[in-house]
Amino acid sequence: MPRIIGRSRYLRKQPEYRKCARHSGPLGPGPVNGNVMRDVIVVGGGPTGLMLAAELRLHGVDVLLLEREPEPTGQSRALGLHARSVEVMDQRGLLGRFLAHGERVRAGGFFAGLGTSWPEGLDTAHSYVLAIPQAVTERLLTEHAAGLGAEFRRGRTLVGLSQDADGVTVELADGTRDRARYLVGCDGGRSTVRKLLGVGFPGEPARTETLLGEVEVTASQEELASVVARVRRTQARFGTMPLGDGVYRVIVPAEGVAGDRSVPPGLEELKARLRAVAGTDFGVHSPRWLSRFGDATRLAERYRTGRVLLAGDAAHVHPPTGGQGLNLGVQDAFNLGWKLAAEVDGWAPEGLLDSYHAERRPVAAEVLENTRAQTLLLSAEPGTRSVRGLLAELMEFEEVNRYLIEKITAIGVRYDLGEGHPLLGRRLRDVALKRGRLYSLLHAGRGLLLDATGRLSAAGWEDRVDHVVDGSEELDVPAVLLRPDGHVVWAGEDPAELTGRLRSWFGAPAA
């Protein structure tokens, strides 16, 4: 195994360490209106909220997660994890659990249904899409967060919030209140947290709408395949997918845009649209669930307002084209978790928490742009079909195919951390070391100094950064400093430069 220098966390257990420069008192629990002053309240128990709760608990942060639904819905709007989200699970030691319940897929069609093959040469050790229902992803993340000690309260609806210099008070529909140092809204595209904050959510309203459901059918597989092949020649927003046990996912364009998409369609509406578009309703019956979604595209004006932050669909909504929504939210949480924990624990350097907005909002803006483009490519208009045909030809070039897949898998993301080494701002793939693999060193969610020289030091930051003396033939650099999310914040061998970067990202050294 690699030699690990300094994993002590004794400072985090000292009362004087749990003070924050922005507070006059300790961050320990204290009674507030009969409740406990918590570190963080997370509103919303979907994949984003669950991932964030787990990331915070890795650092010992006291987390309460509030979820409106009394029980898991079992619905799976999202059906897979892209490469960067697979890497996230691997970095936290969770990938084995996910692989046991998913299927690795390397096929074309993930960008607007175009492309005949999966690209070669992607910069990842996980060059595939992991097909796994959202309901399973939520279950696995719930188990992970609960195992780390996160507290869950289901059937709790947020109706009010206020914040002051010391914390945030939330009011629930049942009249109870809770208070925490920080609150994060992970409560979806209709976010109550965002609305209560008054954060602008500019963008475009839905112009088209699609019906989606999981139903049983009486039609044969041969009929389904024949009809889908015929209809998709002119209508890319149509299709069926077998889910097992005689259940199919069915997707079909709606007749118009509903005034309230929170009201699901009925079975008769789904049948009518299938007959109008495909000439048959396939004998659909016994729906597990039905839903509708539009192509609205919106981005929150800011991700942070004082002690309240937004993540996932609460901060951005876009069409599901390319399957990026769940992944974008999980990656928001992965970026935010360690930064918010650092703020709570009192060692965050100035501006660290604000870097969440600075880094993640541009990523969301890029996703909105590519989903806009993909949505247009799904139009049945003759001119759009011509453009779609041309792009399909271009995607036969390996470079074009790889470039577009890098966009939706998020492995091409590079945060703007200034000038420097080409690796600066990028996440590292899971490279082989002389004694093990890189991602096995990131399970605890700490920073990592990977040092092939053996001459460097992270002394003073041992409670936040692991120093591992090891190297990799896949890395042409003497040493790298990684944040807890695996992004490179320094590369080289100059001790003075390293010290500066440690201060910039991990705060002042411990006494």
Side-chain angles (χ1 to χ4, degrees):
M1 292 295 293
R3 181 161 58 97
I4 300 180
I5 303 174
R7 291 187 67 97
S8 171
R9 302 188 188 182
Y10 78 95
L11 281 175
R12 296 198 58 251
K13 300 177 182 179
Q14 306 306 310
E16 64 270 21
Y17 186 68
R18 287 184 59 79
K19 294 175 181 284
C20 177
R22 302 187 181 188
H23 302 291
S24 59
L27 294 182
V32 179
N33 297 325
N35 295 316
V36 173
M37 173 67 99
R38 301 177 181 277
D39 289 334
V40 179
I41 292 175
V42 175
V43 181
T48 302
L50 292 167
M51 191 72 204
L52 179 60
E55 286 295 288
L56 292 168
R57 283 301 304 153
L58 275 179
H59 298 273
V61 174
D62 175 29
V63 180
L64 170 64
L65 190 148
L66 302 174
E67 166 55 41
R68 179 179 58 190
E69 297 293 337
E71 298 293 339
T73 66
Q75 298 181 5
S76 294
R77 286 175 170 79
L79 292 176
L81 298 179
H82 282 305
R84 179 54 187 150
S85 295
V86 172
E87 290 182 343
V88 164
M89 302 310 167
D90 197 9
Q91 285 178 233
R92 293 299 180 260
L94 301 174
L95 185 55
R97 306 182 201 181
F98 281 82
L99 291 176
H101 293 87
E103 178 183 356
R104 283 175 271 202
V105 177
R106 288 171 52 91
F110 286 99
F111 187 90
L114 297 170
T116 59
S117 63
W118 184 258
E120 298 297 329
L122 288 180
D123 182 31
T124 178
H126 302 288
S127 185
Y128 54 86
V129 174
L130 183 64
I132 184 169
Q134 179 176 337
V136 177
T137 293
E138 291 184 0
R139 175 172 62 81
L140 294 175
L141 289 178
T142 297
E143 293 170 358
H144 175 51
L148 291 170
E151 180 181 348
F152 296 80
R153 291 185 190 170
R154 285 193 163 273
R156 301 295 196 275
T157 301
L158 178 74
V159 296
L161 67 83
S162 61
Q163 60 176 312
D164 52 40
D166 298 315
V168 184
T169 300
V170 300
E171 181 180 351
L172 306 181
D174 61 6
T176 61
R177 295 198 301 170
D178 276 289
R179 186 162 167 80
R181 301 299 181 189
Y182 291 90
L183 180 142
V184 186
C186 304
D187 50 340
R190 300 181 180 88
S191 171
T192 300
V193 172
R194 187 189 65 243
K195 293 173 183 176
L196 290 172
L197 284 174
V199 172
F201 204 40
E204 303 87 45
R207 297 179 178 86
T208 63
E209 185 172 280
T210 306
L211 305 185
L212 172 68
E214 292 184 1
V215 295
E216 296 182 33
V217 303
T218 59
S220 67
Q221 291 187 11
E222 292 77 10
E223 180 185 355
L224 284 165
S226 174
V227 172
V228 170
R230 170 176 57 82
V231 175
R232 282 186 62 83
R233 284 199 289 266
T234 56
Q235 180 52 264
R237 289 167 50 218
F238 175 84
T240 65
M241 177 188 299
L243 300 176
D245 299 325
V247 177
Y248 282 77
R249 168 167 286 208
V250 176
I251 181 170
V252 62
E255 184 175 9
V257 177
D260 184 0
R261 281 192 302 281
S262 65
V263 179
L267 182 60
E268 289 306 315
E269 181 180 355
L270 178 65
K271 286 184 173 182
R273 290 308 299 158
L274 286 170
R275 289 192 294 267
V277 174
T280 175
D281 62 15
F282 301 120
V284 296
H285 65 95
S286 306
R288 287 183 177 179
W289 59 273
L290 300 172
S291 182
R292 63 178 88 238
F293 63 86
D295 61 347
T297 304
R298 298 185 181 277
L299 180 61
E301 290 180 335
R302 57 186 183 276
Y303 280 23
R304 180 187 179 190
T305 302
R307 294 179 171 275
V308 183
L309 300 103
L310 302 173
D313 288 353
H316 39 71
V317 295
H318 53 83
T321 322
Q324 298 168 91
L326 181 153
N327 293 271
L328 184 60
V330 165
Q331 293 157 30
D332 282 348
F334 203 57
N335 182 285
L336 174 59
W338 70 276
K339 296 175 180 178
L340 185 53
E343 192 73 26
V344 170
D345 280 346
W347 59 259
E350 184 177 358
L352 180 66
L353 190 54
D354 287 329
S355 73
Y356 165 64
H357 167 98
E359 292 178 355
R360 293 305 297 172
R361 192 174 186 275
V363 172
E366 287 278 342
V367 170
L368 266 59
E369 286 297 302
N370 83 57
T371 54
R372 284 187 182 103
Q374 291 184 74
T375 300
L376 285 173
L377 289 167
L378 297 177
S379 170
E381 294 295 324
T384 302
R385 294 208 307 268
S386 297
V387 175
R388 181 180 175 86
L390 177 60
L391 185 57
E393 292 179 16
L394 291 175
M395 287 192 72
E396 293 302 314
F397 291 93
E398 192 68 21
E399 294 82 359
V400 176
N401 192 15
R402 183 167 55 247
Y403 176 78
L404 293 177
I405 294 301
E406 283 180 352
K407 276 187 173 294
I408 66 171
T409 58
I411 62 172
V413 169
R414 180 181 186 181
Y415 299 137
D416 183 6
L417 305 187
E419 299 296 324
H421 194 278
L423 289 176
L424 192 64
R426 297 190 180 279
R427 97 284 177 262
L428 284 186
R429 68 179 185 275
D430 185 25
V431 299
L433 306 176
K434 294 178 180 177
R435 298 177 295 277
R437 298 199 65 87
L438 175 64
Y439 282 8
S440 67
L441 304 175
L442 300 173
H443 292 179
R446 293 157 52 83
L448 174 67
L449 172 59
L450 184 63
D451 175 15
T453 72
R455 299 188 301 270
L456 298 171
S457 173
W461 289 272
E462 296 96 335
D463 58 307
R464 287 152 270 173
V465 179
D466 292 330
H467 180 191
V468 176
V469 178
D470 201 349
S472 171
E473 294 181 357
E474 300 176 55
L475 286 178
D476 186 21
V477 63
V480 291
L481 178 63
L482 303 182
R483 308 188 316 191
D485 59 0
H487 281 260
V488 177
V489 294
W490 174 81
E493 55 185 328
D494 185 327
E497 287 183 1
L498 171 61
T499 298
R501 287 292 181 168
L502 284 166
R503 285 183 176 274
S504 296
W505 289 101
F506 297 97

